[in-house]
Amino acid sequence: MKSDSNVPPIDPPSLAERIRLEMDSFTPSEKRAAHMLLSHYPFAGLDTVAEFASRAGISAPSVLRFVTRLGFGGFPEFQRHLREELEAQLLSPLAKASPSDRSHGAPALAAFAESVIGNLRATVENIAPAEFDAVVELLSDQRRPVHFTGGRFTGALARYAESHLRIVRSHVDYIEGQPALWRDRMIEIGRKDVIVAFDIRRYQEDVTALCETAAKQGATVVLLTDPWLSPIARVARHVLPAHIVAPSNWDSSAGLLLITEALVAAVTKRLWETAKPRMEAVERLRNEKP
Amino acid sequence: MKSDSNVPPIDPPSLAERIRLEMDSFTPSEKRAAHMLLSHYPFAGLDTVAEFASRAGISAPSVLRFVTRLGFGGFPEFQRHLREELEAQLLSPLAKASPSDRSHGAPALAAFAESVIGNLRATVENIAPAEFDAVVELLSDQRRPVHFTGGRFTGALARYAESHLRIVRSHVDYIEGQPALWRDRMIEIGRKDVIVAFDIRRYQEDVTALCETAAKQGATVVLLTDPWLSPIARVARHVLPAHIVAPSNWDSSAGLLLITEALVAAVTKRLWETAKPRMEAVERLRNEKP
DNA sequence: CAAAAGCTGTACCAAAAATTTCAGGTAAGC
DNA sequence: GCTTACCTGAAATTTTTGGTACAGCTTTTG
């Protein structure tokens, strides 16, 4: 067997690593098995063949072929290996950041991820706690209708926010950026309303116009933007900036998503008393579908 | 369901702890079993009854009586408990910090961010480079139409991907999840088409149905999902799993966004020759609007 | 010191798990 | 367009494993 005879002196030839390397040469169902295993490594491999197979969506024989292909004499032998590896790793306190693992993964993806992570850290540092709290408070006030909006790219984030928050509380909607689509709705917007706008560079005039109109009618505007600040900042009550520069021809919205998810999490917690029954009700309705 | 548990997660007393407490009341061979288990906790319990018995120097039935005494219905049940305990303990070094989150505001944001960052790292590690590259290649083939789709929350991510990629290349669109909205379009879907589906837990039947239909007609399905793998994985050619667990009542999509942005960046680079003029043309058209 | 109660292990059985066989299906190659 | 090679899962088979009954031994107790 190859891996036995010619082992380079590098310590842990983690099975996970080997699987990643050999991923190319796997058949489709072997790939399923590999993904399943890697995504819950190594616990997915610790129960029975049948369980493993069903979770990976393949048949038991395919799982057997998979472990055979990895060089094991059978499933029990494979399991023993996983257990020993896990035990060894767990007992050595320093084994946490296995450096051999860090270097792998899609190189492009890994570099991109590091950059995004840097953005997230920078974003968190530059957000004023009071500002964040104030926005949570604002979105938790159920008497105030909340409207999300965004530009051609950030619109998706606005929808994301809306799809979550609308389950937690009522009076939540999404407004399309194009003026033709919101002009008439502006009649309804007043002092009570809250507009949450997403806008990053190549700032979009129509979104700005929407916010300015709403602000003029007394609405409270919350802006999620980049560090250069969309012009909407002039009419916004609260501004939450996120770092967006990534090694790409496009900007990264991960920081905006982070803020969005954190806001949703905080509001959900804040309103839990009323949110819980709502969420359960939504769940029930969904299950009645057929 | 996750959202059912309002109760702060009081750490369930580890089995090891319980054994220590009840140690006095054990019979001699039970004590030997207990010591054996505690000294190699929890790995000693992870192999067969016979192995355990021999290591502890007792007989198999004694081991069985021991686990029964601990309140388990049988040895497999006991093993399952150990695995789950271990997994929970190992996978959430961050989640442990969450019970103390009575704190408000920025601390919450910072904690949330750290958790998300952990997800991103884990996501990168579990993506096979070959899989990522293969998807980039697939999306870079301009002869193959690309269709994005997603569920009620992930639909927003699909739109996000679509709004970027449609600028880079042609034949890119977004398909609504509801069957009524895509049934007729399926006529057009064939071997050349590529479906990119976003689907995380509380997997949506309509999205699954869409992908299955498309796959049946020969389309290539790419799936972005969570580590538990949406049922779509069964018909997907490529699967890119992202970690999604966050200290929130909701799952975090940051890992999916990361993959999405990395894919878009890679495809843009790959197609730069043709993408650049396209992007410039789009820019020009946008500026002509007023 | 004797009888009862309780542990413990051997031998056996039943259940479940892993593995092999085989046939249908799919994609590559001629 | 046909053949070949390979992948895949259903079902049958074998092996392993967990579980149980029972009898001997040890400890406790009156």
Side-chain angles (χ1 to χ4, degrees):
Chain A
M1 189 165 35
K2 191 169 91 183
S3 52
D4 276 344
S5 56
N6 210 5
V7 191
I10 303 167
D11 321 86
S14 159
L15 181 60
E17 197 173 339
R18 246 185 63 215
I19 292 175
R20 273 185 220 110
L21 289 175
E22 292 183 38
M23 185 66 83
D24 298 334
S25 62
F26 291 154
T27 73
S29 32
E30 282 169 349
K31 279 185 187 162
R32 298 252 183 81
H35 278 301
M36 177 59 202
L37 179 58
L38 291 182
S39 60
H40 282 112
Y41 194 83
F43 301 97
L46 256 43
D47 41 29
T48 69
V49 171
E51 185 72 13
F52 188 129
S54 118
R55 289 200 194 190
I58 59 180
S59 72
S62 294
V63 173
L64 271 300
R65 285 187 280 260
F66 174 63
V67 302
T68 304
R69 196 170 194 314
L70 291 175
F72 297 99
F75 198 75
E77 190 181 319
F78 165 74
Q79 285 192 320
R80 194 155 4 99
H81 178 93
L82 286 181
R83 279 202 306 266
E84 283 166 6
E85 197 179 88
L86 178 62
E87 187 168 5
Q89 195 183 351
L90 204 67
L91 290 187
S92 80
L94 294 176
K96 281 201 77 174
S98 136
S100 51
D101 272 1
R102 289 277 176 267
S103 56
H104 281 287
L109 179 58
F112 196 89
E114 284 310 315
S115 172
V116 166
I117 288 171
N119 278 342
L120 298 190
R121 290 232 157 86
T123 298
V124 170
E125 286 193 16
N126 286 325
I127 298 247
E131 199 78 342
F132 183 84
D133 289 343
V135 176
V136 171
E137 204 58 32
L138 202 56
L139 299 182
S140 300
D141 187 342
Q142 309 222 36
R143 291 162 308 184
R144 309 192 67 163
V146 175
H147 313 274
F148 289 95
T149 190
R152 51 177 173 162
F153 301 135
T154 49
L157 291 169
R159 283 176 195 275
Y160 185 83
E162 184 252 1
S163 65
H164 283 85
L165 201 64
R166 82 170 313 134
I167 294 176
V168 176
R169 49 160 289 175
S170 49
H171 304 307
V172 173
D173 65 9
Y174 173 81
I175 305 182
E176 286 286 350
Q178 292 82 46
L181 296 168
W182 54 259
R183 278 272 155 67
D184 14 347
R185 293 175 74 170
M186 275 301 136
I187 285 188
E188 313 277 348
I189 304 290
R191 317 193 77 81
K192 287 196 326 185
D193 294 77
V194 177
I195 309 285
V196 181
F198 291 73
D199 193 32
I200 62 177
R201 65 182 171 186
R202 317 327 303 282
Y203 310 111
Q204 241 170 287
E205 285 171 23
D206 46 14
V207 180
T208 305
L210 187 156
C211 292
E212 282 172 347
T213 306
K216 204 165 296 173
Q217 303 194 19
T220 301
V221 176
V222 175
L223 171 66
L224 277 78
T225 184
D226 55 42
W228 299 280
L229 301 189
S230 149
I232 297 173
R234 283 177 306 182
V235 299
R237 177 82 55 90
H238 302 288
V239 178
L240 300 172
H243 286 238
I244 60 170
V245 178
S248 165
N249 292 97
W250 306 97
D251 289 322
S252 166
S253 299
L256 294 173
L257 182 67
L258 172 70
I259 298 173
T260 301
E261 291 186 335
L263 284 174
V264 169
V267 171
T268 304
K269 195 175 161 194
R270 179 91 170 62
L271 296 181
W272 188 243
E273 288 304 316
T274 56
K276 188 184 177 194
R278 270 185 75 93
M279 290 171 73
E280 284 165 353
V282 168
E283 204 56 43
R284 243 177 289 119
L285 286 172
R286 288 188 62 80
N287 291 337
E288 281 173 9
K289 204 171 80 186
Chain B
M1 182 173 96
K2 196 180 170 190
S3 51
D4 277 343
S5 56
N6 185 13
V7 203
I10 301 166
D11 279 324
S14 158
L15 181 59
E17 200 172 330
R18 245 185 62 214
I19 292 175
R20 270 183 223 108
L21 288 175
E22 294 182 37
M23 183 66 84
D24 297 335
S25 64
F26 290 155
T27 73
S29 39
E30 281 169 351
K31 277 183 186 163
R32 300 180 78 169
H35 279 128
M36 175 60 202
L37 178 58
L38 291 182
S39 64
H40 287 42
Y41 194 82
F43 300 97
L46 257 43
D47 42 30
T48 70
V49 171
E51 184 72 16
F52 189 150
S54 119
R55 289 200 194 190
I58 58 177
S59 72
S62 295
V63 174
L64 270 300
R65 285 187 278 260
F66 174 63
V67 303
T68 305
R69 196 173 193 315
L70 290 175
F72 297 99
F75 198 73
E77 191 180 316
F78 165 73
Q79 285 194 319
R80 195 155 4 97
H81 178 93
L82 286 181
R83 279 203 308 265
E84 282 166 5
E85 198 179 87
L86 178 62
E87 185 169 4
Q89 194 182 350
L90 202 67
L91 285 191
S92 61
L94 294 165
K96 276 191 156 182
S98 69
S100 61
D101 63 1
R102 195 67 204 123
S103 54
H104 242 353
L109 177 59
F112 195 90
E114 284 310 314
S115 175
V116 166
I117 288 171
N119 278 342
L120 298 189
R121 289 230 156 88
T123 298
V124 170
E125 290 212 2
N126 284 325
I127 298 249
E131 200 78 342
F132 182 84
D133 291 342
V135 175
V136 170
E137 202 59 32
L138 202 57
L139 299 182
S140 299
D141 187 341
Q142 309 222 36
R143 291 161 308 184
R144 308 192 66 163
V146 176
H147 312 274
F148 289 95
T149 190
R152 52 175 174 163
F153 301 135
T154 49
L157 291 169
R159 284 177 195 275
Y160 185 83
E162 184 251 2
S163 64
H164 283 83
L165 200 64
R166 83 169 315 134
I167 294 176
V168 175
R169 48 160 290 176
S170 48
H171 303 305
V172 174
D173 64 9
Y174 173 82
I175 305 181
E176 285 286 349
Q178 292 82 45
L181 296 169
W182 54 261
R183 277 273 154 66
D184 14 345
R185 294 176 72 171
M186 276 299 135
I187 287 187
E188 312 277 351
I189 304 290
R191 315 193 80 80
K192 286 195 325 183
D193 293 77
V194 177
I195 309 284
V196 181
F198 291 73
D199 192 29
I200 63 176
R201 65 182 171 187
R202 315 325 308 281
Y203 310 112
Q204 240 170 288
E205 284 170 25
D206 46 13
V207 180
T208 305
L210 188 157
C211 292
E212 281 171 350
T213 306
K216 205 165 292 171
Q217 304 196 18
T220 301
V221 175
V222 175
L223 171 66
L224 278 78
T225 184
D226 56 40
W228 297 276
L229 299 189
S230 148
I232 297 174
R234 282 178 303 185
V235 298
R237 178 80 57 89
H238 301 289
V239 179
L240 300 172
H243 286 237
I244 60 171
V245 178
S248 165
N249 292 95
W250 306 98
D251 288 322
S252 166
S253 299
L256 294 173
L257 182 67
L258 172 69
I259 298 173
T260 302
E261 291 187 336
L263 284 174
V264 168
V267 172
T268 305
K269 195 175 162 196
R270 179 92 172 59
L271 296 181
W272 188 241
E273 288 303 315
T274 56
K276 191 183 176 195
R278 269 185 74 92
M279 289 170 73
E280 285 165 354
V282 168
E283 204 54 44
R284 241 177 290 118
L285 285 172
R286 287 188 62 79
N287 291 338
E288 280 173 10
K289 201 166 110 195

